[in-house]
Amino acid sequence: MELEEFPKEIRPYIFPKHKGNQIYRCLACGREYGLEKLLYTCPSCGQVFLIYDRDFDQLKKISGALWRKIFDYRKMASIPALKGIYLYHEFVGPTIPPDAVVYLGEAHTPLIEANSFLQKKLGIRFFVKNDGQNPSASFKDRGMASALSYINYLIKGGAVSDILAVCASTGDTSASAALYASYLQPHVKSAVLLPYKKVTPQQLSQPLGNGAKVFEIPGVFDDCMKVVEAMSERYNVALLNSKNAWRILGQETYSYEIAQDFEYDMVNKAVVLPIGNAGNITAVMSGFIKFYETGVIDALPKIVGVQSQHANPVFRYYASESKRREFIPVTVKPSVAQAAMIGNPVSMPRVIYLAELYNQISGGQNVFVVEVTEQAIMEWELIANRNGHIACTQGGESLAGLVVAQEHGIINNNEIAIIDSTAHALKFSGFQEMYFERKFPSEFGISYKSDLINAPVLVETENTDNNFISETFAQQEDRSQRFIDISARAIANALNLKPKELL
Ligand SMILES: *Cc1c(COP(=O)(O)O)cnc(C)c1O
Ligand SMILES: [Zn+2]
């Protein structure tokens, strides 16, 4: 839609004007630093940052009702820089001029209502928000669009050149980083560190295809993270892990979209999502708080984080009595929710800070963490996908978390749940295959239910090894007809089909 066609009162707001005054703020000592330099941790005390806009209060001068209209109308504008996460420009990165925005088609992912079979089975109305439908097939693209737009802004301003972007990854961060970095080549090159044999073949193929240097480290994600942290301290590299606070800003849009998807009515809603490095739950809480503070929404939804028993440090932290809480990293065990298989989440200080704030604003506990079994994660992924979804194993983890949250009375059936399926099913099809072929290594502790197993059937026809080159045309036709007849009969028998009644 052309600008002149928008209602008069909206026109001045379609193109963002708020420039903001964004800074890094240390969560421990409160020191603030300007954005001219890429910083990940406080130079003074070493703690992680969140990025704040010192002029955020100016956004409150616009009413919630007007913001809602601005976002809804912006969706109709054909301005690429405002099509992805930057539809919410003023909230995501007012510092970033639209011409520096890197947009590769991320965000505004579909919200799909579960079918009546699933809703009856769980006894609750719920939706799946499919973040697997992002360019690199996971939610990480939201954060990467934000981080690379900022880097692009620095490049365009001449503040940096020849950037080497690095990250450690359970598979999806590296896929996303490599994709977004390759868009900015030759100014940006990327290198990714992966735990050897602990990402799926699809995830490994992604950074390779996008031209990143890929390093496999014998160990788990937490080991890779220590190496890139050391590298970012000692060398001139741009760290793209969620330690980088720009990632969090981009991922906040998941909350903004949920609000918009539900016409900004967040009463009686519960958002359920997996926790790995805890960047996503940080962003989701932060996003809802910002929309609440500016009156865009007038209630904060319940947030339920989910962890597997095989990688549960955040669950353990919140399970202990609030006065005795002390964060203790865990050693992870193999998990089908492999992208969340993290024992020492870097965003834990952010989670502790924001969960407390979220509960305080909500006037009572509104952030919960539940734990689920590997078996439940796997089964719920398979069940979801047998009912029209494209959930990854972490999406299965969310669904399993919804079930546990209901059992514990955390979510009840007068609420509407929104399940985060964080990546596309195809990235994790190897786990499905291991289930279908009963081939899980014993450490996963997975047992099999035959009604959830599926396998292809090879249709046997006549021996096809003959040398057909000397066949006449008529012989070929004859054989082709036999082939069709035999195949059709074999499939019909397998499916128990009855022949059509002849009229
Ligand atoms: C990264 C990732 C997670 C975990 O998100 P965090 O922000 O690390 O907590 C969950 N699911 C998928 C598919 C991921 O790629
Ligand atoms: Zn500090």
Side-chain angles (χ1 to χ4, degrees), residues 229-489:
E229 279 175 338
M231 286 179 63
S232 69
E233 276 158 28
R234 295 174 201 168
Y235 304 94
N236 219 346
V237 293
L239 182 69
L240 289 183
N241 280 96
S242 52
K243 196 162 200 180
N244 179 335
W246 284 97
R247 286 270 312 276
I248 305 295
L249 283 179
Q251 289 169 206
E252 289 173 2
T253 58
Y254 190 75
S255 299
Y256 304 156
E257 287 173 28
I258 288 175
Q260 199 169 13
D261 287 336
F262 284 96
E263 307 293 346
Y264 307 96
D265 177 7
M266 288 291 99
V267 176
N268 282 338
K269 304 291 188 305
V271 178
V272 187
L273 74 164
I275 306 178
N277 222 3
N280 211 26
I281 192 167
T282 295
V284 167
M285 290 189 287
S286 176
F288 281 123
I289 290 173
K290 285 181 190 168
F291 260 22
Y292 182 79
E293 287 182 334
T294 43
V296 182
I297 54 176
D298 42 32
L300 287 175
K302 200 168 277 173
I303 308 278
V304 180
V306 189
Q307 293 212 293
S308 158
Q309 283 178 341
H310 285 190
N312 60 357
V314 185
F315 170 76
R316 281 168 181 253
Y317 176 83
Y318 283 105
S320 58
E321 213 186 305
S322 61
K323 284 183 201 76
R324 290 161 194 242
R325 275 179 200 155
E326 187 194 347
F327 183 72
I328 304 164
V330 303
T331 304
V332 294
K333 297 195 203 103
S335 171
V336 297
Q338 191 169 258
M341 209 178 100
I342 294 172
N344 190 13
V346 300
S347 280
M348 197 59 204
R350 293 168 172 155
V351 172
I352 293 171
Y353 169 73
L354 284 172
E356 197 179 324
L357 180 63
Y358 201 94
N359 289 334
Q360 192 189 319
I361 300 173
S362 303
Q365 189 179 359
N366 216 9
V367 179
F368 301 83
V369 181
V370 297
E371 176 186 61
V372 295
T373 63
E374 287 292 311
Q375 187 69 27
I377 297 173
M378 200 58 226
E379 286 181 9
W380 281 112
E381 188 215 6
L382 297 174
I383 294 168
N385 295 346
R386 283 173 162 246
N387 286 277
H389 296 290
I390 46 170
C392 61
T393 43
Q394 294 69 220
E397 184 174 20
S398 296
L399 194 49
L402 172 57
V403 173
V404 169
Q406 287 178 285
E407 285 165 5
H408 292 191
I410 294 170
I411 296 179
N412 47 58
N413 60 9
N414 66 354
E415 292 172 294
I416 294 176
I418 298 106
I419 296 298
D420 190 350
S421 181
T422 42
H424 199 290
L426 287 176
K427 286 201 187 211
F428 296 87
S429 58
F431 289 106
Q432 173 183 291
E433 197 175 295
M434 286 202 284
Y435 190 95
F436 288 173
E437 296 176 0
R438 299 174 186 262
K439 280 188 179 152
F440 264 107
S442 60
E443 313 88 85
F444 285 89
I446 297 285
S447 56
Y448 307 95
K449 289 189 176 150
S450 51
D451 60 340
L452 286 178
I453 285 182
N454 207 355
V457 179
L458 178 64
V459 177
E460 308 227 15
T461 60
E462 294 177 315
N463 183 357
T464 50
D465 299 334
N466 295 324
N467 180 2
F468 298 119
I469 293 163
S470 58
E471 272 184 351
T472 65
F473 198 61
Q475 283 171 320
Q476 277 180 29
E477 281 206 339
D478 206 39
R479 192 168 54 79
S480 151
Q481 193 54 51
R482 265 202 325 279
F483 166 81
I484 294 167
D485 292 345
I486 292 172
S487 303
R489 210 180 309 128

Side-chain angles (χ1 to χ4, degrees), residues 26 28-31 33 42 44-47:
C26 172
C29 73
R31 282 194 177 79
Y33 302 87
C42 178
S44 166
C45 79
Q47 187 58 278

Side-chain angles (χ1 to χ4, degrees), residues 111-170:
L111 178 81
I112 309 299
E113 181 159 13
N115 67 5
S116 56
F117 174 86
L118 273 183
Q119 301 208 30
K120 271 204 200 100
K121 196 171 167 74
L122 269 74
I124 188 170
R125 184 153 185 230
F126 75 98
F127 294 74
V128 179
K129 189 158 166 74
N130 275 335
D131 255 23
Q133 279 162 282
N134 271 302
S136 81
S138 86
F139 77 84
K140 300 289 199 305
D141 294 336
R142 297 176 181 276
M144 226 43 92
S146 169
L148 271 299
S149 295
Y150 167 66
I151 288 176
N152 196 30
Y153 159 70
L154 295 181
I155 293 171
K156 279 174 171 277
V160 296
S161 59
D162 294 330
I163 300 246
L164 179 66
V166 298
C167 66
S169 178
T170 52

Side-chain angles (χ1 to χ4, degrees), residues 53-66:
D53 178 3
R54 281 181 178 149
D55 293 342
F56 186 77
D57 281 348
Q58 287 178 12
L59 302 182
K60 297 178 185 165
K61 292 185 187 146
I62 294 177
S63 71
L66 184 52

